[in-house]
Amino acid sequence: MQAVLCNKYGLPEGLQLCEVAKPAPKRGEVLIKVHATTVSSADWRMSGLNVPQGFTLMMRLALGWHGPRQPILGTEFAGMVEAVGTDVRQFKVGDSVFGIKDAAMGCHAQYMCMSQDGALALKPANLSDAHAAALSFGGTTVLSFFRRGQLGRGDRLLINGASGAVGTAAIQLGNYFGAEVTAVCSTANLELVKSLGAAHVIDYTQQDFTKNGQAYDVIMDTAGNAPFARCDASLKEGGRLLMVLADLPSMLKMPWVALTRRKRLIAAPATGTAQDIRLLAELAQKERYMPVIDRSYPLHQIADAYRYVATGRKRGNVVISVKP
């Protein structure tokens, strides 16, 4: 089968389309023929070791010194079950599925195996493979942070970096949970975030949300440029700052803020669960949540997709078509 390998950190030289052995499902696993996957911001950070300040050494030790130990990147996918291992009861051959593998990766390939108990669900019938593939990364990240941040009905939620995969998911899921959503983005993306349901929009090229005199119950920073020191005054008493892209200095402040202030900082990686995936599928089926697709590339042009994600200008998701 064909797979894209990342044997060394760096773009685009570290990516190679190669022939590798097709995997076989073990006990409790399903073999999935991948129809579509994505290049997320997490994939880009992994491929080039573009991690927040303070985490480079830690990530090299965890992921691989010169290149990823798992050379096939890619965290989310949509496809069809082609074979099942022993004791598989939840899925059958021919099922259309989607899901997320998080740190296990392996989705930038024509075939992959996954546990039936993982973050895997049947694909909603109203979604294309491309939209199903883009459903998970932004959605599970948002659900994880909203859960830890205890987002509730009536909360004033500000999303900094509202036009990316996580931001566009946060607008829609924030509305689902009953929050009043304010989206911060560039001029070019104002209409997009409005169309997704943002009640208020702030053009960061014209206005600094930390200086507008407004205070929020929850601030979600997906861009990594709104640390606590910058947005302290914009958080209400009891407010929560969700740091999706936090550097080490910001994370080290978490215990001190918890001890000295009636505000909370929430960070650490988000992981997708089977329950989260099923909820996203249900919401997509009801058209309450739909991933935004910016561009699509064939598998052999995946290096171009990584280059585009590296610009930081993508709107929503970048999809890779794997099926010929």
Side-chain angles (χ1 to χ4, degrees):
M1 71 168 188
Q2 287 190 320
V4 176
L5 304 186
C6 179
N7 290 311
K8 62 178 181 179
Y9 296 120
L11 283 175
E13 296 79 8
L15 300 174
Q16 294 181 324
L17 184 61
C18 302
E19 287 289 334
V20 300
K22 181 179 176 180
K26 300 175 183 177
R27 180 177 180 178
E29 290 186 338
V30 296
L31 173 67
I32 298 169
K33 184 176 184 180
V34 179
H35 292 171
T37 181
T38 67
V39 176
S40 68
S41 57
D43 296 320
W44 169 72
R45 289 193 295 272
M46 183 79 69
S47 67
L49 209 64
N50 302 297
V51 296
Q53 178 188 355
F55 286 106
T56 301
L57 177 60
M58 191 182 308
M59 295 301 285
R60 282 188 185 273
L61 292 173
L63 303 174
W65 193 259
H66 298 291
R69 292 191 186 93
Q70 161 56 293
I72 304 175
L73 305 183
T75 57
E76 60 184 339
F77 64 91
M80 185 183 70
V81 175
E82 183 163 293
V84 298
T86 57
D87 297 333
V88 171
R89 300 289 183 268
Q90 299 183 42
F91 301 95
K92 65 182 185 300
V93 173
D95 279 346
S96 293
V97 294
F98 79 101
I100 187 166
K101 296 193 71 176
D102 286 322
M105 299 180 291
C107 301
H108 291 168
Q110 290 179 316
Y111 292 90
M112 48 163 273
C113 290
M114 187 169 182
S115 170
Q116 67 171 341
D117 298 319
L120 180 68
L122 295 175
K123 180 177 77 71
N126 61 322
L127 293 191
S128 65
D129 287 324
H131 281 90
L135 200 65
S136 304
F137 173 72
T140 58
T141 299
V142 169
L143 290 176
S144 176
F145 274 94
F146 280 0
R147 186 163 50 242
R148 286 180 280 167
Q150 298 178 309
L151 182 74
R153 182 166 295 279
D155 278 349
R156 298 192 69 198
L157 166 67
L158 179 134
I159 304 163
N160 181 49
S163 59
V166 176
T168 53
I171 295 170
Q172 298 174 76
L173 294 173
N175 279 319
Y176 170 73
F177 288 114
E180 180 184 333
V181 178
T182 297
V184 181
C185 63
S186 66
T187 309
N189 294 317
L190 291 177
E191 292 306 316
L192 169 65
V193 300
K194 287 179 185 177
S195 72
L196 296 174
H200 314 283
V201 296
I202 296 175
D203 182 346
Y204 69 75
T205 69
Q206 303 295 322
Q207 182 182 14
D208 184 343
F209 78 85
T210 67
K211 299 177 181 179
N212 65 3
Q214 299 294 313
Y216 303 90
D217 299 287
V218 178
I219 294 177
M220 181 177 228
D221 177 27
T222 77
N225 61 9
F228 181 70
R230 180 185 170 203
C231 56
D232 182 7
S234 298
L235 273 176
K236 295 181 179 179
E237 287 296 300
R240 290 84 73 196
L241 173 60
L242 312 183
M243 301 184 295
V244 177
L245 193 60
D247 59 20
L248 186 58
S250 295
M251 294 187 72
L252 292 175
K253 291 178 182 176
M254 292 169 63
W256 176 251
V257 172
L259 285 171
T260 61
R261 307 293 298 277
R262 290 191 60 247
K263 299 178 182 182
R264 284 196 295 145
L265 310 185
I266 298 168
T271 56
T273 67
Q275 182 179 1
D276 288 342
I277 291 294
R278 288 193 290 268
L279 173 59
L280 295 174
E282 178 184 343
L283 294 178
Q285 185 73 51
K286 296 177 180 179
E287 298 185 354
R288 298 290 301 275
Y289 166 55
M290 189 66 63
V292 174
I293 294 178
D294 185 342
R295 296 185 182 184
S296 296
Y297 296 82
L299 186 63
H300 69 273
Q301 292 181 1
I302 196 169
D304 291 332
Y306 271 87
R307 289 188 190 96
Y308 179 59
V309 173
T311 67
R313 295 195 296 267
K314 73 178 178 69
R315 294 155 49 101
N317 300 269
V318 172
V319 173
I320 303 300
S321 177
V322 180
K323 185 170 62 174

